[in-house]
């Protein structure tokens, strides 16, 4: 099969042996697979990624010295079954799956594995148990956005929103946009979002942000304070620093050094900060800011199976407007150039790889 391969820190196109489905696995044709910011990180910081996986006790670890076919945001079509499958879905069915392969010898992370290919290749093997059929009529391209949008739902679930909470989303790339969509679905209001890119601010509005801020023109924290003033008279809190405000729930969706500290500076007393953006480098923060304001920091990763399934059905029901997020599509030959383009936030949100297109 044809695939874009990460080899010696570069992306190359090559012909690889077709994967063979093992017990309880299906062989699928990859129909569409989104390019994720994590893949850009993996290409640039493969060693750091592996080091962090080892330090965190991750159940699967890839070796960057060997080939990896990345791609974990996919929609695919069943073409064959391995031994011992239930076959509750038929050949030709379109499916999504969490990017995990459940093997008796251990988990494989699809898209970050040396042993099984991800969605930047024409074929993959998936665990039959994890398959979700694409609900009738939902387009393949939209179904492929299930994985990145589920990340937003998980972050918002972890935030344990209360009705009084006023969210602020810092960074409106794919992660921030997924968080905004999930906040909107949960009925959070008003949603404040900030990004330097006008295109991303426009997407933030499309997905449900009520107030969008250009940090080059004004402080997102000031804009947040303006809309977080409670209606009616509120008695001042004991030990309050500044005016009485509705509770702040801030989402860090940038993942570069310094952002967490800036958010701690900008946060009101007792704010909760949910860190969704993956920063690959050491970062500096001033704990005394967190102490003085009694801030909570919560780090989040991925999603739970029920959140993944709920996201697919929310997209199919038209509750998450994903179409505007798709800003490009390429075949396997175009993945390398797409990685370069994605480093310019003004032009893109999500680029889809369609491995079978000529
Ligand atoms: Zn991803």
């Amino acid at each position: 099969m044809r695939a874009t391969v990460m080899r010696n820190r570069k992306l190359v196109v090559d012909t690889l042996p077709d994967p063979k489905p093992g017990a309880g696995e299906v062989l699928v044709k990859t129909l569409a697979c989104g390019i994720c910011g994590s893949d850009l990180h993996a290409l640039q910081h493969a060693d750091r990624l592996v080091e962090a996986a080892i330090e965190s006790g991750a159940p699967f670890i890839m070796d960057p010295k060997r080939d990896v076919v990345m791609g974990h945001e996919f929609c695919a079509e069943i073409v064959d079954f391995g031994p011992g499958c239930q076959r509750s879905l038929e050949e030709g069915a379109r499916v999504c799956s969490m990017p995990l392969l459940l093997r008796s010898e251990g988990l494989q992370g699809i898209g970050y594995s040396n042993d099984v290919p991800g969605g930047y290749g024409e074929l993959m093997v998936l665990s039959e148990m994890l398959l979700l059929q694409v609900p009738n009529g939902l387009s393949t391209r939209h179904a492929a956005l299930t994985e990145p949008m589920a990340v937003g739902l998980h972050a918002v679930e972890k935030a344990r929103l209360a009705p009084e909470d006023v969210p602020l989303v810092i960074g409106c790339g794919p992660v921030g946009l997924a968080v905004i969509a999930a906040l909107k679905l949960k009925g959070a209001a008003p949603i404040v979002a900030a990004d330097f890119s006008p295109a991303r601010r426009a997407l933030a509005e499309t997905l449900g942000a009520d107030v969008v801020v250009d940090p080059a023109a004004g402080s997102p924290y000031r804009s947040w304070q303006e809309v977080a003033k409670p209606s009616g008279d509120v008695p001042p809190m004991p030990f309050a620093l500044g005016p009485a405000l509705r509770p702040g729930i801030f989402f860090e969706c940038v993942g570069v050094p310094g952002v967490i500290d800036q958010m701690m500076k900008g946060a009101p007393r007792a704010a909760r900060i949910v860190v969704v953006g993956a920063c690959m480098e050491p970062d500096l923060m001033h704990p005394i800011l967190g102490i003085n304001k009694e801030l909570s920091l919560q780090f989040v990763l991925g999603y739970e199976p029920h959140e993944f399934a709920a996201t697919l059905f929310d997209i199919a029901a038209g509750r998450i407007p994903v179409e505007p997020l798709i800003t490009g599509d390429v075949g396997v030959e175009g993945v390398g150039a797409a990685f370069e383009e994605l480093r310019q936030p003004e032009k893109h949100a999500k680029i889809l790889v369609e491995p079978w297109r000529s």
Side-chain angles (χ1 to χ4, degrees), residues 4-12 14 16-17 42-43 46-47 49-50 60-70 103 105 108 111-117:
T4 307
V5 187
M6 175 163 69
R7 181 178 292 159
N8 301 323
R9 295 163 201 282
K10 290 205 170 58
L11 294 176
V12 297
D14 201 356
L16 304 179
L43 187 65
D47 294 330
L49 198 80
V50 170
F60 48 81
I61 290 155
M62 67 171 184
D63 177 358
K65 291 186 202 72
R66 294 170 55 208
D67 282 1
V68 176
V69 178
M70 293 194 288
R103 285 194 162 160
E105 64 270 26
Q108 290 278 346
Y112 297 109
S113 165
N114 302 111
D115 303 320
V116 296

Side-chain angles (χ1 to χ4, degrees), residues 1 21 23 53 55 83 88 90 130 180 207 210-211 236 240 270 323 347:
M1 67 160 185
E55 285 165 0
S88 50
E90 285 170 17
L130 294 181
I180 292 167
L207 284 154
D210 300 293
V211 178
E323 177 59 34
K347 286 175 73 180

Side-chain angles (χ1 to χ4, degrees), residues 34 36 38 72-74 96-99 112 142-153 178 302-303 308 311-312 315 350:
C36 178
S38 305
H72 58 269
E73 306 179 351
F74 47 77
C96 291
S97 164
M98 287 174 49
Y112 297 109
H142 292 182
L145 278 131
T146 301
E147 201 277 351
M149 299 316 280
V151 168
L153 176 59
Y303 31 74
F308 190 92
T311 302
L312 174 58
I315 294 173
K350 190 59 74 183

Side-chain angles (χ1 to χ4, degrees), residues 103-142:
R103 285 194 162 160
S104 51
E105 64 270 26
L107 279 182
Q108 290 278 346
I110 296 173
Y112 297 109
S113 165
N114 302 111
D115 303 320
V116 296
Y120 300 166
E122 290 174 328
L123 298 167
M124 292 183 288
V125 288
L126 302 176
S127 288
E128 189 188 35
M129 248 178 90
L130 294 181
L131 297 183
L132 294 168
Q133 186 164 21
V134 174
N136 214 6
L138 177 63
S139 81
T140 294
R141 292 157 61 82
H142 292 182

Side-chain angles (χ1 to χ4, degrees), residues 120-358:
Y120 300 166
E122 290 174 328
L123 298 167
M124 292 183 288
V125 288
L126 302 176
S127 288
E128 189 188 35
M129 248 178 90
L130 294 181
L131 297 183
L132 294 168
Q133 186 164 21
V134 174
N136 214 6
L138 177 63
S139 81
T140 294
R141 292 157 61 82
H142 292 182
L145 278 131
T146 301
E147 201 277 351
M149 299 316 280
V151 168
L153 176 59
H154 180 67
V156 170
E157 292 291 1
K158 284 285 192 186
R160 285 168 296 187
L161 279 188
E164 324 76 82
D165 288 339
V166 179
L168 170 64
V169 179
I170 299 290
C172 301
V175 169
L177 294 169
V179 168
I180 292 167
L183 286 166
K184 190 72 185 174
L185 267 177
K186 296 269 168 201
I191 301 168
V192 186
D195 199 291
F196 288 101
S197 152
R200 288 184 163 187
R201 289 198 301 277
L203 282 173
E205 280 186 315
T206 305
L207 284 154
D210 300 293
V211 178
V212 294
V213 186
D214 176 2
S219 159
Y221 308 102
R222 190 150 314 138
S223 299
W224 179 88
Q225 279 188 19
E226 277 159 24
V227 300
K229 290 196 183 96
S231 44
D233 276 343
V234 180
M237 281 201 302
F239 309 113
L241 309 169
L245 295 167
R246 289 168 60 188
I249 176 77
F250 287 12
F251 293 88
E252 198 281 306
C253 302
V254 180
V256 302
V259 177
I260 295 175
D261 198 55
Q262 273 173 25
M263 292 179 72
M264 289 171 67
K265 278 196 192 95
R269 186 181 160 74
R272 293 119 67 210
I273 300 174
V274 180
V275 182
V276 204
C279 179
M280 299 298 293
E281 293 150 75
D283 196 6
L284 184 93
M285 69 163 97
H286 296 84
I288 191 64
L289 286 172
I291 299 266
N292 285 347
K293 300 184 188 184
E294 293 205 309
L295 302 178
S296 301
L297 271 182
Q298 161 90 59
F299 293 81
V300 299
L301 170 72
Y303 31 74
E304 302 286 336
H306 68 276
E307 293 162 348
F308 190 92
T311 302
L312 174 58
F313 286 96
D314 281 332
I315 294 173
R319 288 191 285 267
I320 307 178
V322 290
E323 177 59 34
L325 294 175
I326 304 171
T327 53
D329 30 54
V330 294
V332 287
E333 266 79 18
V335 178
F339 268 53
E340 286 312 310
E341 288 227 13
L342 282 168
R343 299 192 193 280
Q344 302 161 22
E346 183 46 46
K347 286 175 73 180
H348 287 291
K350 190 59 74 183
I351 297 180
L352 294 180
V353 183
E354 293 171 336
W356 291 89
R357 72 193 263 159
S358 45

